[in-house]
Amino acid sequence: MRCSELGVIPKEAVKAVGTLTFMGADGTVVPVGTRVSTDSVTPIYFTTVTEGVITDGVCDVEAEAENAGFIGNVAAKKITLVLGDLSGVVTVINNANFDGGTDVESDESLLARYYEKAQKPATSGNANHYLQWAKSVAGVGDARVHPLWNGPGTVKVVLLDTDKTAPPQTTIDDVETFIENVRPIGATVTVVGAEEVSINVSATLTLATDVTLEEVTAQFTEALRQYLKSIAFTGELIRYTRIANLLLDIPPIIDYQDLTVNGAIANIELTGDQVGVIGTVEFS
């Protein structure tokens, strides 16, 4: 009720989007509405939103999750089942992650936007106004605004999604469309996603006897993801020592040697519009 008084409305869930690669006989049409799914105990379903025709054995088709929410953000190579009329005729794979799926906005996020609007007055298309406009769009987790970035009358808006990585183009387009409808006349607005910088970690580990390398790799990867998420757009360094501590915070890891981050033993400093994301994690 208090949020609505300031025009701060909870953001709805958003469907994940991505690209599917279909393989089969040349000339086979993959129509809009073709259903596919993950090969898991509880399948996650996706539907194509563009049509494709297989040429030279393959075609790429855009698709979205059938249900909105974070659950649609599946990893590469997880979508492998074709349903319906094309089952057994073609095969499918997602060669990249599906992205952009978000749950209904949490109370914590809604409260943060309420305080931001109350504490940072937005008037006449100032920087605070663009920030609030961008963050009101479903799928946006954070934003930065650069007034006069390319001369008088220009504004640049840089976006993160709710997982604090670069958002999909669909989210960027939604923000651009929304801002174009509410911005002052005469402003030239550029909306982009943050520049992702891959964080690659390598080390030699000493493990307890009751754990596998794959298990600790998965645990570390999730811990690194949460660390990078926590410092996105804060201006903090990605600290070598903090990544080392993430290793030692995993109980089955007894010790480590030869730890490198992006091939070096050093902190990583990002520019204002960059964000660190999971790259490769190679343990031996």
Side-chain angles (χ1 to χ4, degrees), residues 30-41:
V30 180
V32 173
T34 299
R35 297 183 75 221
V36 299
S37 76
T38 58
D39 184 10
S40 52
V41 175

Side-chain angles (χ1 to χ4, degrees), residues 10-234:
K11 293 184 282 188
E12 297 182 354
V14 177
K15 294 180 179 181
V17 296
T19 301
L20 298 171
T21 298
F22 287 88
M23 294 152 284
D26 285 3
T28 302
V29 176
V30 180
V32 173
T34 299
R35 297 183 75 221
V36 299
S37 76
T38 58
D39 184 10
S40 52
V41 175
T42 305
I44 303 169
Y45 296 94
F46 300 83
T47 305
T48 60
V49 295
T50 59
E51 181 180 285
V53 179
I54 294 179
T55 305
D56 294 331
V58 299
C59 72
D60 290 335
V61 177
E62 300 306 307
E64 65 180 15
E66 286 193 348
N67 295 314
F70 185 81
I71 192 172
N73 297 334
V74 301
K77 312 294 186 183
K78 295 298 184 181
I79 302 173
T80 58
L81 297 181
V82 180
L83 309 175
D85 293 342
L86 290 181
S87 177
V89 177
V90 298
T91 58
V92 69
I93 196 74
N94 61 312
N95 289 311
N97 300 344
F98 267 60
D99 192 19
T102 61
D103 295 330
V104 174
E105 185 174 21
S106 67
D107 289 346
E108 181 182 26
S109 172
L110 182 65
L111 182 61
R113 289 199 298 121
Y114 171 84
Y115 283 137
E116 188 170 64
K117 186 161 187 177
Q119 296 169 357
K120 297 180 179 180
T123 57
S124 303
N126 64 359
N128 288 338
H129 227 159
Y130 282 94
L131 183 66
Q132 291 173 16
W133 288 333
K135 293 174 72 172
S136 70
V137 176
V140 176
D142 204 354
R144 277 186 170 167
V145 177
H146 302 288
L148 308 177
W149 78 281
N150 196 31
T154 65
V155 181
K156 184 178 183 180
V157 182
V158 185
L159 306 176
L160 291 177
D161 65 12
T162 55
D163 206 33
K164 300 301 176 70
T165 62
Q169 188 61 45
T170 51
T171 301
I172 295 171
D173 293 343
D174 288 345
V175 172
E176 188 169 33
T177 299
F178 180 76
I179 290 178
E180 281 298 309
N181 289 330
V182 295
R183 67 168 175 78
I185 295 173
T188 301
V189 184
T190 300
V191 182
V192 299
E195 178 188 350
E196 293 187 343
V197 176
S198 294
I199 305 303
N200 307 310
V201 179
S202 176
T204 300
L205 306 181
T206 302
L207 303 180
T209 57
D210 59 345
V211 69
T212 67
L213 196 61
E214 290 74 18
E215 290 171 336
V216 297
T217 298
Q219 292 178 53
F220 172 80
T221 299
E222 180 57 27
L224 179 60
R225 188 187 316 280
Q226 294 303 321
Y227 168 57
L228 295 175
K229 183 177 179 179
S230 71
I231 63 172
F233 272 17
T234 65

Side-chain angles (χ1 to χ4, degrees), residues 247-268:
L247 283 173
L248 296 179
D249 286 343
I250 298 173
I253 297 179
I254 298 172
D255 204 353
Y256 67 86
Q257 293 179 319
D258 304 323
L259 172 63
T260 62
V261 180
N262 285 8
I265 303 174
N267 299 328
I268 296 175

